[in-house]
């Protein structure tokens, strides 16, 4: 099987682990509404938390507030379910309007039993195509994923640079399940300013043995670390990571998506 080469644009040397690696909640953000200035809200939250941004800080921002600010919400009262949605909803005991939104957000339905798994238009394979009821006021409103999470991350990083005069990397995270392990973990669906993959192939481990297959998903690891502080009910959708050493990069989070030809589960 032919393998897509990983970009060599970033360092072959793993960033040194810093004993000062720290993660901070930035609490106090209001309920985000369509059109809100996320950079302003985040800067205000940092100020209230006594944090001053530094160059090379990383912000991990929950997808949910990005979707809200961008207006990526759907009112189920305005949705007319198709026959396909009605059939799936009957089997799954779901709201057929919700299933219709999932179908609209999908380029491919992977499976419908026991969980509705879809490939989104971005290329993510996840439950319900990322459509979600949680942490949204009301019973008939759902969020969908941002249309271009990498662009969202880039825009937020640019706005923070303009406001704080510091170079801050941004990761937009969402919670994904994994087909080969139980439990959920946060992953990066958007990124700006830092490497998302670290290719260590061709280097050697501490015993001199060559590494031939080691490519670290560092953006996912940072997102997962931030997820430990975000929680689901704490109201902490923005986490500041400080002390992680990296070289600035223009890599996109879409780089992490495994090509179809390499997908072992198709």
């Amino acid at each position: 099987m032919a393998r897509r080469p990983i970009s060599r644009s970033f360092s072959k040397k793993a960033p040194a682990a810093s004993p000062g690696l720290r993660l901070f909640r930035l609490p106090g953000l209001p309920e985000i509404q369509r059109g809100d200035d996320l950079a302003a809200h985040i800067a205000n939250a940092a100020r209230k938390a006594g944090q001053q941004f530094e160059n090379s800080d990383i912000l991990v921002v929950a997808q949910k507030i990005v979707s809200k600010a961008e207006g990526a919400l759907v009112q189920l009262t305005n949705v007319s379910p198709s026959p396909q949605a009605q059939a799936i909803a009957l089997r799954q005991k779901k709201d057929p309007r919700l299933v219709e939104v999932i179908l609209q957000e999908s380029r491919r339905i992977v499976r419908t039993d026991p969980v509705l798994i879809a490939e989104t238009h971005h290329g993510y394979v996840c439950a319900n195509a990322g459509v979600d009821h949680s942490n949204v006021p009301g019973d008939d409103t759902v969020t969908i994923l941002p249309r271009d999470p990498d662009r969202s991350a880039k825009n937020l990083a640019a706005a923070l640079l303009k406001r704080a005069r510091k170079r801050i990397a941004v990761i937009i995270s969402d919670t994904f399940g994994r087909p080969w392990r139980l439990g959920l973990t946060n992953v990066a669906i958007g990124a700006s300013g830092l490497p998302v993959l670290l290719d260590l192939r061709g280097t050697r481990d501490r015993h001199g043995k060559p590494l031939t297959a080691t490519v670290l998903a560092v953006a996912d690891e940072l997102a997962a670390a931030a997820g430990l502080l975000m929680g689901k009910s704490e109201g902490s959708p923005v986490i500041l990571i400080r002390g992680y050493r990296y070289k600035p990069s223009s890599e996109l989070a879409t780089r992490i998506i495994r090509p179809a030809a390499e997908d072992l589960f198709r």
Side-chain angles (χ1 to χ4, degrees), residues 159-189:
L160 288 165
L161 174 62
K162 184 176 181 180
R163 180 174 292 274
R165 305 296 181 185
K166 301 295 182 182
R167 178 177 49 78
I168 301 168
V170 173
I171 293 172
I172 296 175
S173 69
D174 197 9
T175 306
F176 276 30
R178 298 160 295 168
W180 53 89
R181 293 180 69 83
L182 295 175
L184 305 174
T185 187
N186 276 21
V187 301
I189 65 169

Side-chain angles (χ1 to χ4, degrees), residues 125-255:
V125 177
C126 55
N128 299 324
V131 179
D132 197 3
H133 263 302
S134 66
N135 288 313
V136 182
D139 296 327
D140 286 324
T141 303
V142 295
T143 58
I144 59 178
L145 297 180
R147 288 302 174 203
D148 187 343
D150 281 315
R151 181 182 297 173
S152 301
K154 182 178 180 180
N155 291 342
L156 181 54
L160 288 165
L161 174 62
K162 184 176 181 180
R163 180 174 292 274
R165 305 296 181 185
K166 301 295 182 182
R167 178 177 49 78
I168 301 168
V170 173
I171 293 172
I172 296 175
S173 69
D174 197 9
T175 306
F176 276 30
R178 298 160 295 168
W180 53 89
R181 293 180 69 83
L182 295 175
L184 305 174
T185 187
N186 276 21
V187 301
I189 65 169
S192 177
L194 78 168
V196 300
L197 294 170
L198 185 69
D199 188 355
L200 297 179
R201 294 175 299 181
T203 64
R204 294 181 180 273
D205 68 13
R206 63 183 298 176
H207 299 290
K209 298 175 182 177
L211 301 177
T212 60
T214 304
V215 182
L216 303 180
V218 291
D220 281 351
E221 292 185 321
L222 291 165
L228 294 173
L229 291 182
M230 282 184 176
K232 289 298 181 183
S233 59
E234 285 85 349
S236 299
V238 180
I239 303 299
L240 170 64
I241 299 179
R242 178 168 294 157
Y244 177 75
R245 299 174 184 174
Y246 65 93
K247 291 185 177 180
S249 171
S250 59
E251 271 200 309
L252 305 177
T254 50
R255 185 67 178 153

Side-chain angles (χ1 to χ4, degrees), residues 51-71:
Q51 294 290 347
Q52 291 187 340
F53 289 125
E54 301 175 4
N55 284 319
S56 297
D57 279 350
I58 301 169
L59 284 177
V60 181
V61 182
Q63 161 268 322
K64 190 64 59 69
I65 65 170
V66 176
S67 290
K68 290 178 178 178
E70 294 182 356

Side-chain angles (χ1 to χ4, degrees), residues 67-78:
S67 290
K68 290 178 178 178
E70 294 182 356
L73 299 100
V74 177
Q75 298 294 328
L76 296 182
T77 52
N78 298 327

